Amino acid sequence: MYSSSPEGALVVSPSAAAPAQGRPPAAAPVVREPLHAPVAHVVRGGVVEGVHHGSVVVLDADGRVGFQLGDIEAAFYPRSALKPVQAVAMLRAGLPLDGGELLSLAAASHSGEERHLDGARRLLGLAGLTEDDLRNVPDMPYDPVERDIWVRDGRTPDRLAQNCSGKHAAMLWTAKVNGWSLEDYLDPAHPLQRAVAETVEDLTGQRVAGVTVDGCGAPLFSISLHGLARALARITTAAPGTPEARVADAMREHAELASGKRRDVAALMRAVPGLLAKDGFEGVEVAALPDGRAVAVKIADGNDRARVPVAAAALARAGVNPALLTAFEGAPLLGGGRPVGSVRPVRALDPVAAPAA
């Protein structure tokens, strides 16, 4: 099913996963050096001081590519931006959550707030499990404020504080309700991870290019930026009551459980009615509206200072009212303690005439 590449990734054979919902997936994206393009300028005092490269795709409501910049078809790792898809996979496999806060947490890259840790404990408790069953990497809270409190109180890294603990707790519960083994639930060959791979291929519409290990220890599937946008659009346009719709509803209704009270992605979902958005490490963001319009962004150098304004510009390019996005234009560049510049999306990302959301 899987073989090792010279780079240490696991390569998925073409027959490794069948489409879960009957749509044969297209070929896997090509593994190559991405042909990224400039997506943002670092402007200080009216002079371009630096350039962030990356790729952007905007899908129209009918699923067609309405705008693209850079390389949207090369294989890449979506990191935690894939978590809504993983949550759909768990529901399809029998995770007994109808919706609500705990389902949002199952799709979360949480900040490590006490309510996030409590939610992960609740997920484990409902499964009859404990923190000792988790196999994610111990860590400190992701949010800097929460991390400082943690350090001040003399607390050390643990598995619940790690930002993926909700996903891991939900994975364990899914495995348990199916009678699957728990100790090796992170093995790419485990039935749970095979089910995730099937859903990734179904929703992205393409074969997985390869599998490696994410920072938390879970399998990480390589797809294209185009496939990531397509997957989230399919989640937001799914019929009510489906696993896709349940994940979308839970994350939108409990955005701070899927991220944190100080996180830009939660603020973005609050600002734009009906928007589902998810960020990921290394400068990844994906967002979709209920009518199927979707955007996906990858910043080549992984810098969040470019991710936020570029994602906002892509949403404006998709037709979202720019007035809803002014808070996401990016933090100012400071000189002597005062604003002297900003990170500005390139001119190609300027909004075009389109119906406002």
Side-chain angles (χ1 to χ4, degrees):
M1 177 180 174
Y2 299 97
S3 61
S4 296
S5 74
E7 293 76 20
L10 294 171
V11 178
V12 185
S13 66
S15 60
Q21 300 296 302
R23 290 189 295 267
V30 177
V31 178
R32 63 176 182 233
E33 181 179 350
L35 304 174
H36 291 307
V39 294
H41 292 150
V42 182
V43 181
R44 181 182 294 270
V47 174
V48 176
E49 183 178 34
V51 180
H52 288 286
H53 290 70
S55 296
V56 179
V57 61
V58 177
L59 300 185
D60 295 334
D62 60 7
R64 290 183 294 185
V65 175
F67 174 83
Q68 66 183 85
L69 186 61
D71 194 344
I72 69 170
E73 302 296 354
F76 91 120
Y77 291 121
R79 303 299 298 268
S80 287
L82 197 63
K83 283 178 178 173
V85 178
Q86 292 171 308
V88 170
M90 288 186 274
L91 289 180
R92 288 181 177 183
L95 176 66
L97 285 174
D98 290 331
E101 294 183 355
L102 293 184
L103 181 54
S104 184
L105 188 64
S109 300
H110 66 69
S111 289
E113 300 164 25
E114 284 300 325
R115 61 177 170 170
H116 296 135
L117 277 61
D118 289 343
R121 290 189 193 96
R122 287 169 59 198
L123 282 168
L124 290 167
L126 288 167
L129 302 170
T130 71
E131 183 180 351
D132 292 337
D133 294 295
L134 292 170
R135 294 291 182 267
N136 61 320
V137 177
D139 202 355
M140 307 287 273
Y142 176 74
D143 182 271
V145 175
E146 300 298 328
R147 191 182 311 123
D148 286 347
I149 295 171
W150 198 272
V151 172
R152 183 198 66 197
D153 292 344
R155 301 171 76 175
T156 57
D158 71 25
R159 298 184 193 277
L160 284 177
Q162 198 270 335
N163 76 89
C164 303
S165 64
K167 177 184 77 174
H168 281 255
M171 283 183 168
L172 280 165
W173 195 3
T174 305
K176 186 167 183 182
V177 298
N178 282 282
W180 297 331
S181 58
L182 302 183
E183 295 79 7
D184 61 343
Y185 74 94
L186 298 182
D187 188 326
H190 191 279
L192 169 67
Q193 303 304 338
R194 288 176 58 90
V196 173
E198 291 170 0
T199 300
V200 170
E201 293 193 337
D202 175 46
L203 293 180
T204 63
Q206 61 189 178
R207 294 285 185 189
V208 168
V211 184
T212 187
V213 183
D214 209 340
C216 65
L220 177 61
F221 302 96
S222 181
I223 56 174
S224 70
L225 196 67
H226 186 183
L228 178 64
R230 184 164 48 228
L232 206 69
R234 288 178 174 172
I235 288 173
T236 59
T237 58
T242 60
E244 295 91 328
R246 286 151 58 193
V247 169
D249 289 345
M251 292 181 69
R252 286 185 296 224
E253 292 169 11
H254 305 282
E256 292 185 359
L257 266 295
S259 53
K261 60 187 176 184
R262 284 176 284 269
R263 298 274 290 283
D264 59 84
V265 70
L268 183 63
M269 284 195 278
R270 291 193 299 266
V272 181
L275 186 73
L276 177 64
K278 184 70 186 74
D279 54 350
F281 280 161
E282 297 299 326
V284 181
E285 184 155 342
V286 63
L289 290 153
D291 64 3
R293 285 176 290 160
V295 307
V297 169
K298 164 63 180 174
I299 305 301
D301 61 10
N303 201 311
D304 271 358
R305 74 173 181 179
R307 172 185 61 81
V308 176
V310 170
L315 285 168
R317 193 72 167 71
V320 173
N321 185 347
L324 301 175
L325 302 168
T326 55
F328 308 97
E329 293 175 348
L333 301 181
L334 301 180
R338 62 184 181 85
V340 295
S342 63
V343 179
R344 302 177 187 171
V346 295
R347 191 175 300 278
L349 278 165
D350 285 348
V352 296

